Amino acid sequence: MQDSTQILNEQFIDNLWVPSKSKTRRPVLDPYREAHIAEVTGGAPADVDAAVAAARRALPAWQATPEPRRGEYLEAIAAGLETRHQALAELSSRNNGKPLAESYQDLDDAIACYRYYAEAAVALGERQGTVEETGQPDLEARHYWEPVGVVGLITPWNFPLVSSAWKLAPALAAGCTVVFKPSEVTPLPERMLTEIVTEAGLPPGVFNLLQGDGEGIGAPMSHHPGIDKLSFTGSNPVGEAVMRAAAQGVRPVSLELGGKSPILVTDDADLTLARDLVIAGICYNAGQMCSATSRLLVHERLADDLYAAIDAAMAALRLGDPLAAETDMGPLVSTTQRERVRDYVALAEEEGLGSETPALALPEHGFFVPPRLYREVPTTSRLWQEEIFGPVLCARRVADDDEAIALANDSDFGLAATVVAGDPDRAEAIARRLEAGNVWCNSDQIAPPQGSWGGMKRSGIGRELGEAGLDAYLELKRITRPLRA
């Protein structure tokens, strides 16, 4: 299908759009209409140099800006997102493929995040100079928190505006200046941030947005000596490359990487609740979530009934236009992602994995893969072990909680998990034994700004959101001095 295309061959540096030094472009797609809706520059190392230079120039003045004033800027960004609520949600759905209701939820989460860190900036100012006793009768110590410096922020395509808010809001609140690379797959929603920060009056050089791919922008950012900290969300192979690059100069990194999250259903669980949480955990955003609960461990007493309920719920999902109110699940974000998921489906057939999920009629166009439940998947299967990033659910029945916990923890990843149990105390007891950074008990996957986000094992390093999210962009300074007379 064809559509008009917008040429995005500029970079936002020092509050101005300047031509990219790159001559390469890549298409930006509407994954439902399979149409080219824009072309974005691949970016170049010279673009990174210019953005880092701007951020370094702006750093001293931004660092000296009082914390409450920085909070006012963040509140203005939140207001700018609110003003463009409908336009941004529609743009996100068109560029990413997720249903409009999910895009609205994403946008609300981003707004809440900026507002949370606006308040956190004020609180940061109030705790500057906190006094600590030294144990010496004539000495005292004071604590001050200073920004890390210039930070490089790299976000993925599955949650536009949300992933960026989780990084931008605390970094700006802390007094850092930023060089931000959104995904080249979904650059359109993030591009509108440039209008918002300009209207908010953010000083030149504090926020710089670079459009481009990993080779043109991502790798040069990761290696750039002028960037003091890197925060990356995405795949494990790229995250490992970012970490290797950051080792040069001993720069700190925050990494939010992959997952292969379990959902555990006990013998006393409510069957309807379990079905709903399973469907939400694997079909939200068409399964394109690092926290997708793609491994189901269900007690043998409920297994057959839950399998049947899941198959029926998957068969009832309405796949279609992300902008249509009746759509439950949209397409995958790209042909590359669709082929990746199809490869796993083909592998399941080769391995003889069993699925009784009724076949769904797919729309005439769009990068769709219908949801599937595979039953009694061996733990040796690649589908059980690897992150698929699509609506593919692998299930096993278990005899008791101990077996479920052991199988849940038998993974290289430890980002998230869900526990569904009739007894809330039993659910929490199970959750305490799971090796995961985020566990929901009888609940949807909520991630409020005052919470915490991050994983164990190969799922990453550090935490986003909450106080930990702000601390990730701060350095603690302790000053010892004689007591005042």
Side-chain angles (χ1 to χ4, degrees):
M1 300 179 66
Q2 298 296 322
D3 200 352
S4 59
T5 59
Q6 181 181 6
I7 306 301
L8 311 177
N9 197 41
E10 295 178 314
Q11 309 291 17
F12 189 76
I13 300 171
D14 258 339
N15 282 14
L16 297 171
W17 285 107
V18 298
S20 171
K21 302 301 183 182
S22 173
K23 301 301 181 184
T24 64
R25 294 177 187 165
R26 58 169 295 145
V28 179
L29 300 179
D30 176 330
Y32 172 67
R33 294 166 181 81
E34 300 186 35
H36 288 190
I37 52 178
E39 287 186 359
V40 65
T41 175
D47 296 336
V48 178
D49 290 339
V52 172
R56 296 223 73 87
R57 287 193 300 271
L59 181 61
W62 183 245
Q63 179 178 352
T65 300
E67 290 89 351
R69 179 62 181 132
R70 297 203 294 258
E72 291 173 2
Y73 284 114
L74 291 175
E75 177 60 39
I77 293 173
L81 290 171
E82 245 175 3
T83 300
R84 295 165 173 80
H85 197 267
Q86 181 176 348
L88 276 170
E90 291 177 355
L91 185 61
S92 182
S93 287
R94 192 167 185 217
N95 194 176
N96 175 276
K98 64 177 60 182
L100 193 56
E102 295 182 16
S103 292
Y104 277 123
Q105 183 176 342
D106 286 355
L107 192 54
D108 289 341
D109 289 347
I111 292 168
C113 186
Y114 283 104
R115 291 208 160 119
Y116 171 82
Y117 283 109
E119 296 179 1
V122 175
L124 174 63
E126 293 172 349
R127 64 174 164 139
Q128 295 285 16
T130 302
V131 176
E132 171 208 330
E133 292 187 8
T134 65
Q136 303 294 321
D138 58 343
L139 294 175
E140 69 175 8
R142 293 179 180 269
H143 287 175
Y144 295 90
W145 287 264
E146 298 183 354
V148 170
V150 175
V151 295
L153 311 177
I154 302 174
T155 58
W157 45 258
N158 55 337
F159 284 95
L161 298 173
V162 179
S163 295
S164 58
W166 287 12
K167 299 181 189 299
L168 286 166
L172 294 173
C176 297
T177 54
V178 304
V179 178
F180 167 45
K181 178 202 173 304
S183 170
E184 67 274 19
V185 178
T186 55
L188 300 182
E190 311 285 15
R191 183 179 171 88
M192 289 188 71
L193 279 174
T194 62
E195 299 177 13
I196 293 169
V197 300
T198 301
E199 290 176 3
L202 214 61
V206 171
F207 170 88
N208 304 278
L209 183 147
L210 295 180
Q211 301 177 126
D213 54 30
E215 181 179 355
I217 299 296
M221 277 179 61
S222 300
H223 288 90
H224 203 289
I227 290 180
D228 300 304
K229 175 190 170 70
L230 291 159
S231 181
F232 170 82
T233 299
S235 70
N236 279 74
V238 178
E240 291 171 8
V242 169
M243 191 172 181
R244 285 193 296 270
Q248 302 169 19
V250 196
R251 293 171 297 155
V253 295
S254 296
L255 301 174
E256 202 270 272
L257 306 176
K260 190 65 180 177
S261 301
I263 179 166
L264 292 73
V265 180
T266 63
D267 56 348
D268 66 340
D270 178 271
L271 187 65
T272 301
L273 177 63
R275 177 204 63 195
D276 292 347
L277 293 179
V278 168
I279 292 296
I282 195 62
C283 293
Y284 192 90
N285 201 19
Q288 299 169 117
M289 303 187 293
C290 52
S291 62
T293 40
S294 56
R295 292 185 295 144
L296 169 61
L297 296 158
V298 54
H299 191 278
E300 57 193 10
R301 189 177 75 81
L302 289 183
D304 289 336
D305 288 341
L306 183 56
Y307 291 165
I310 293 169
D311 279 334
M314 286 182 169
L317 291 174
R318 294 164 297 185
L319 278 57
D321 186 349
L323 299 179
E326 65 273 12
T327 296
D328 297 313
M329 194 174 87
L332 300 182
V333 73
S334 64
T335 54
T336 300
Q337 191 61 23
R338 179 178 61 180
E339 293 313 305
R340 171 185 168 85
V341 177
R342 282 178 171 176
D343 286 346
Y344 278 102
V345 172
L347 178 62
E349 295 178 1
E350 293 175 14
E351 294 182 354
L353 301 183
S355 177
E356 299 178 21
T357 308
L360 279 175
L362 299 182
E364 294 181 357
H365 50 79
F367 307 139
F368 289 93
V369 173
R372 287 176 174 82
L373 163 65
Y374 290 102
R375 307 183 181 196
E376 313 311 331
V377 178
T379 59
T380 54
S381 170
R382 286 178 54 198
L383 276 79
W384 183 266
Q385 296 175 349
E386 299 176 8
E387 185 175 42
I388 298 174
F389 233 60
V392 177
L393 176 66
C394 298
R396 288 184 62 84
R397 65 185 70 213
V398 296
D400 52 37
D401 293 351
D402 288 340
E403 183 184 3
I405 293 166
L407 287 171
N409 289 338
D410 185 20
S411 173
D412 291 337
F413 300 101
L415 179 59
T418 296
V419 181
V420 191
D423 179 357
D425 292 334
R426 179 183 181 185
E428 184 171 358
I430 293 171
R432 288 293 306 274
R433 295 172 61 190
L434 294 176
E435 297 168 353
N438 308 271
V439 184
W440 298 275
C441 296
N442 296 329
S443 166
D444 284 317
Q445 293 189 15
I446 60 170
Q450 64 269 28
S452 172
W453 189 265
M456 303 175 181
K457 303 180 183 178
R458 292 187 62 209
S459 286
I461 298 173
R463 292 293 183 269
E464 295 187 303
L465 300 179
E467 292 183 7
L470 180 61
D471 289 343
Y473 297 96
L474 293 169
E475 295 283 12
L476 174 60
K477 176 182 288 185
R478 185 175 186 269
I479 298 177
T480 304
R481 51 169 284 173
L483 281 168
R484 295 175 179 173

